[in-house]
């Protein structure tokens, strides 16, 4: 190769490299760190947002997903997982991002509508076709002939909603915390395996066919009925349950360093738009927009719901009393082991 050709080759290589760099610079990349049962929803939502953002700005965007137990996902972000946004199962897990690593501000929940919850859900029961154990309400879960599937509340946000839903029912029925503790302890005595996350528990019940009843997110139960095991399962709605409010936020320390604050905020704000809210309803979450939610009234059964604030004084108190190391849940596990 002569010097003139060599120089042309170097120039061409340099131009190609610069062009590739410009293309990469024009394409934003976001990482959404979420909890287990949102996989199907965000897969479709990401496609919707990519098209919306391209129309609005002309910019391409790639969105990567990470899923797992909500508590485990929060710990990963605290430890350095480079999330642009988090869409977790409960507010306490995002509060931990502030308290333990100052990755979000203390008032993060006030930055988006509806306390930063674009959808809600509740806890229901999934049983096998024909409901062979005649499971109707929470009281049936303490029967000795019933095996209960629920994930581990130490790692799964959904499992913490399950636990508190059972506690709230027992508190209303029996009137005191001692009786509620004994009731919930007996439920966990019937749990043969504690999966670390909600989707793992779904697989245990649906694919491994362990257990008589799966205590599940409403949307996860619908997924099992309609897609994972059509004709094999039924949903039982208990007499009362808990209002689950999964929140979202952008991770300030990461988006400021990466230069993705604007698009991360837009990604979460678009969750509250009408097309996104209809997608929420399609995936069996309850839309935050009341007018859109009304379009799905026939899908969501009426159930008496209580909130974490009403019964437990908020997530911080609930976490400290029930799920922190040495809390009531740990006591239950130890007591159940001694009784075996």
């Amino acid at each position: 190769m002569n010097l003139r050709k060599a120089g042309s080759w170097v120039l061409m290589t340099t131009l190609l490299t610069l062009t590739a760099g410009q293309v990469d610079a024009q394409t934003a990349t976001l990482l959404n760190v979420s909890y287990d049962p949102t996989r199907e929803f965000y897969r479709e939502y990401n496609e919707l947002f990519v098209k919306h953002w391209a129309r609005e700005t002309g910019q391409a965007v790639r969105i990567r997903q990470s899923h797992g137990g909500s508590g485990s996902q929060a710990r990963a972000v605290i430890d350095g997982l480079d999330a642009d946004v988090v869409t977790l199962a409960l507010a306490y897990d995002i509060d931990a991002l502030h308290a333990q690593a100052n990755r979000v501000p203390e008032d993060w929940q006030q930055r988006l509508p509806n306390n930063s919850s674009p959808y809600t859900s509740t806890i229901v029961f999934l049983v096998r076709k024909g409901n062979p154990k005649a499971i109707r309400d929470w009281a049936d879960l303490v029967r000795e002939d019933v095996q209960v599937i629920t994930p581990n509340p130490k790692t799964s946000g959904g499992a913490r909603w399950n636990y508190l839903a059972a506690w709230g029912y027992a508190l209303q029925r029996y009137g005191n915390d001692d009786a509620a503790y004994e009731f919930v302890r007996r439920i966990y005595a019937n749990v043969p395996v504690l999966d670390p996350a909600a989707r793992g528990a779904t697989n245990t019940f649906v694919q491994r066919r362990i257990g008589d009843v799966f205590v599940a997110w409403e949307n996860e139960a619908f997924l099992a009925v309609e897609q994972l095991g059509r004709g094999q399962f039924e949903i039982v709605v208990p007499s009362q349950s808990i209002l689950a409010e999964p929140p979202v936020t952008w991770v300030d320390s990461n988006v400021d360093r990466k230069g993705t604050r604007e698009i991360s905020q837009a990604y979460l704000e678009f969750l509250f738009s009408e097309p996104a809210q209809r997608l929420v309803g399609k995936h069996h979450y309850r839309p935050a927009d009341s007018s859109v939610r009304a379009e799905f009234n026939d899908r969501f059964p009426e159930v008496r719901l209580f909130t974490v604030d009403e019964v437990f004084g908020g997530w911080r108190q609930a976490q400290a009393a029930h799920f922190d190391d040495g809390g009531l849940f740990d006591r239950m596990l130890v007591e159940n082991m001694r009784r075996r």
Side-chain angles (χ1 to χ4, degrees):
M1 182 181 292
N2 63 36
L3 291 178
R4 180 175 296 177
K5 287 184 178 180
S8 298
W9 176 254
V10 170
L11 178 61
M12 183 179 297
T13 303
T14 302
L15 289 173
L16 287 172
T17 301
L18 289 173
T19 302
Q22 289 170 355
V23 170
D24 287 343
Q26 292 170 1
T27 302
T29 300
L30 298 184
L31 173 59
N32 177 2
V33 173
S34 195
Y35 66 105
D36 254 349
T38 63
R39 298 169 189 267
E40 291 76 18
F41 167 69
Y42 278 110
R43 187 178 300 134
E44 193 165 351
Y45 173 74
N46 290 345
E47 295 176 3
L48 184 68
F49 177 77
V50 165
K51 293 176 182 177
H52 162 76
W53 190 249
R55 286 195 305 268
E56 293 292 314
T57 69
Q59 184 182 31
V61 57
R62 291 190 298 262
I63 303 168
R64 296 182 294 130
Q65 290 293 130
S66 171
H67 295 273
S70 184
S72 299
Q73 293 289 77
R75 169 48 57 189
V77 175
I78 290 168
D79 290 343
L81 182 60
D82 213 13
D84 297 274
V85 300
V86 289
T87 56
L88 297 179
L90 47 97
Y92 179 83
D93 287 336
I94 300 182
D95 284 338
L97 303 187
H98 168 75
Q100 298 182 36
N102 200 31
R103 298 201 181 278
V104 299
E106 187 173 12
D107 65 348
W108 64 268
Q109 207 162 6
Q110 307 310 311
R111 302 192 292 191
L112 291 168
N114 202 40
N115 286 327
S116 294
S117 294
Y119 38 76
T120 62
S121 191
T122 190
I123 303 304
V124 299
F125 305 152
L126 187 69
V127 299
R128 305 197 186 280
K129 186 69 176 178
N131 194 5
K133 292 293 181 76
I135 294 164
R136 305 297 180 197
D137 210 345
W138 293 100
D140 294 310
L141 273 56
V142 301
R143 286 168 23 200
E144 292 185 358
D145 67 325
V146 171
Q147 273 197 335
V148 180
I149 299 301
T150 180
N152 189 340
K154 302 289 282 190
T155 53
S156 166
R160 278 173 273 177
W161 288 114
N162 295 354
Y163 173 108
L164 295 181
W167 189 286
Y169 166 85
L171 195 60
Q172 186 275 332
R173 179 170 181 174
Y174 301 111
N176 65 81
D177 283 323
D178 288 342
Y181 170 88
E182 180 61 17
F183 181 85
V184 178
R185 182 198 67 74
R186 290 173 62 193
I187 290 178
Y188 281 92
N190 289 341
V191 177
V193 56
L194 283 171
D195 290 290
R199 184 55 57 87
T202 302
N203 292 338
T204 292
F205 187 76
V206 172
Q207 296 180 358
R208 297 172 62 195
R209 302 194 63 80
I210 297 173
D212 302 300
V213 55
F214 175 32
V215 185
W217 289 98
E218 183 176 51
N219 62 293
E220 192 78 350
F222 273 109
L223 176 70
V225 168
E226 295 181 357
Q227 297 183 34
L228 302 180
R230 187 178 297 273
Q232 300 179 43
F233 304 102
E234 299 175 6
I235 295 173
V236 173
V237 180
S239 61
Q240 70 171 25
S241 194
I242 197 165
L243 177 64
E245 302 170 287
V248 303
T249 197
W250 56 90
V251 183
D252 297 69
S253 62
N254 291 343
V255 299
D256 287 343
R257 175 174 49 78
K258 297 164 67 176
T260 56
R261 175 180 284 267
E262 180 184 6
I263 190 170
S264 297
Q265 182 172 341
Y267 176 78
L268 296 181
E269 288 175 341
F270 191 62
L271 281 168
F272 295 86
S273 68
E274 281 195 18
Q277 288 287 292
R278 288 194 175 89
L279 196 60
V280 163
K282 173 186 173 182
H283 285 270
H284 303 290
Y285 283 98
R286 300 184 179 216
D289 186 314
S290 58
S291 61
V292 176
R293 186 168 62 248
E295 300 175 17
F296 295 88
N297 278 345
D298 60 338
R299 177 171 294 188
F300 299 117
E302 288 292 328
V303 57
R304 185 156 46 100
L305 300 174
F306 59 85
T307 69
V308 170
D309 288 347
E310 290 168 349
V311 177
F312 301 96
W315 265 110
R316 292 184 185 181
Q317 291 189 43
Q319 176 72 28
H322 295 272
F323 308 119
D324 278 355
D325 290 346
L328 293 173
F329 176 69
D330 283 352
R331 281 178 49 193
M332 289 177 190
L333 294 186
V334 171
E335 187 171 347
N336 284 339
M337 287 180 64
R338 287 175 180 167
R339 287 170 177 259
R340 287 175 182 168

